[in-house]
Amino acid sequence: MSLLEVRDLVVRYGRVPALHEVSLEVNEGEAVAIVGPNGAGKTTLLSAIAGVVAAAAGSIAYDGRNLHGNSPEAIVRRGIGLVPEGRHIFGSLTVAENLRLGMTVRRDREQARRDLAATLDRFPILRVLHDTQASRLSGGEQQQLAIARALLASPRLLLLDEPSLGLAPLVINLVFEVLGELRGRGVTILLVEQNVARATAFATRSHLMCGGRIEPLPETVDGEAAAGALLAGAYLGTGEAR
Ligand code: ATP
């Protein structure tokens, strides 16, 4: 059974449609990537799953139950974590306070404390910057904080919106290393990326999103080249995304 099942999802901003009957399934333990150009609707899709924007039509089921009517907080409690684009950390709070916010949904206090220690081991810079105001962190440090905060809610499904955007290559490597470890622990991952090569290499399946529509990317031997060609067509408007 799929852990996440999006069916014919339509989202509009005012009268402008951002998603046109988008359908997507993610099975437990999978890492699924969605690649596509700016304005394709990728953020909108993740926001709809996280309950941050409302659907005009269609359905989103998680673990066999419809998410319709659930608040974003209830959705986090059900096990869906979102690392949003632009990070959305609380700049006036310290690193430690931001991390504690990630743990507010946890009931297993002892395990949560152990997870915090493990997370600080995984992102050592956050231990160094523990008492620093988050607004003073660099982009790469803020991204690590945003991912760490989402992980501390112990999600079963982790949604990531362009986690490598604007990061130095070493930090990108760290982010993908951590995602690989999560996958190894059975966390299901839905990853939105413009870094086609990294995303398709990491994912078990990939989709291309363009103009509010989604298509599976063929599992060719050279997925990277296929994705590149499809994206070029999408950007130029010369090719069918197929
Ligand atoms: P990007 O990588 O640039 O974030 P994206 O693929 O994530 O692109 P979305 O941000 O989901 O795309 O945007 C999809 C469409 O919806 C775009 O045409 C965008 O201009 C529009 N849009 C997004 N957010 C809003 C909003 N709050 N109000 C109005 N239109 C919006």
Side-chain angles (χ1 to χ4, degrees):
M1 191 187 75
S2 51
L3 183 61
L4 179 74
E5 191 169 349
V6 178
R7 279 274 157 265
D8 301 324
L9 185 68
V10 178
V11 173
R12 294 194 187 93
Y13 294 111
R15 293 177 59 193
V16 183
L19 298 183
H20 302 268
E21 299 186 350
V22 165
S23 296
L24 172 76
E25 279 185 35
V26 181
N27 297 316
E28 182 108 52
E30 271 193 312
V32 173
I34 301 176
V35 298
N38 281 330
K42 307 181 300 296
T43 297
T44 300
L45 175 60
L46 294 192
S47 304
I49 297 167
V52 183
V53 302
S59 65
I60 305 171
Y62 170 73
D63 200 15
R65 275 166 50 209
N66 204 319
L67 286 179
H68 184 76
N70 284 212
S71 68
E73 200 206 340
I75 290 172
V76 173
R77 285 186 193 284
R78 286 196 55 193
I80 301 181
L82 171 66
V83 180
E85 191 183 22
R87 290 142 205 167
H88 292 271
I89 55 158
F90 295 96
S92 61
L93 302 183
T94 65
V95 166
E97 288 164 342
N98 270 278
L99 291 174
R100 272 203 292 280
L101 280 177
M103 295 163 64
T104 51
V105 299
R106 297 285 292 268
R107 291 285 164 264
D108 47 346
R109 295 279 157 184
E110 273 312 306
Q111 184 58 42
R113 255 193 289 276
R114 282 195 290 274
D115 286 354
L116 177 60
T119 302
L120 292 173
D121 288 343
R122 200 67 200 80
F123 298 103
I125 193 69
L126 299 183
R127 199 188 285 284
V128 175
L129 297 169
H130 204 246
D131 299 316
T132 305
Q133 201 177 317
S135 61
R136 303 176 65 119
L137 271 53
S138 71
E141 290 158 357
Q142 290 190 3
Q143 186 64 287
Q144 292 176 64
L145 176 56
I147 294 172
R149 189 183 58 184
L151 293 185
L152 285 171
S154 191
R156 186 169 163 201
L157 170 65
L158 185 62
L159 314 172
L160 297 121
D161 197 350
E162 309 223 11
S164 76
L165 191 69
L167 300 187
L170 275 180
V171 185
I172 296 179
N173 288 344
L174 173 62
V175 166
F176 276 95
E177 224 174 82
V178 171
L179 295 185
E181 285 170 15
L182 288 174
R183 206 170 76 182
R185 281 197 259 139
V187 176
T188 306
I189 293 173
L190 181 57
L191 170 71
V192 157
E193 262 295 343
Q194 290 201 29
N195 189 335
V196 178
R198 283 309 283 261
T200 54
F202 172 76
T204 41
R205 283 189 299 127
S206 301
H207 294 266
L208 174 70
M209 195 151 195
C210 195
R213 294 187 163 81
I214 196 164
E215 312 240 354
L217 277 178
E219 289 178 39
T220 57
V221 181
D222 189 352
E224 191 182 324
L230 284 167
L231 272 180
Y235 275 120
L236 298 170
T238 54
E240 283 294 309
R242 173 178 307 279

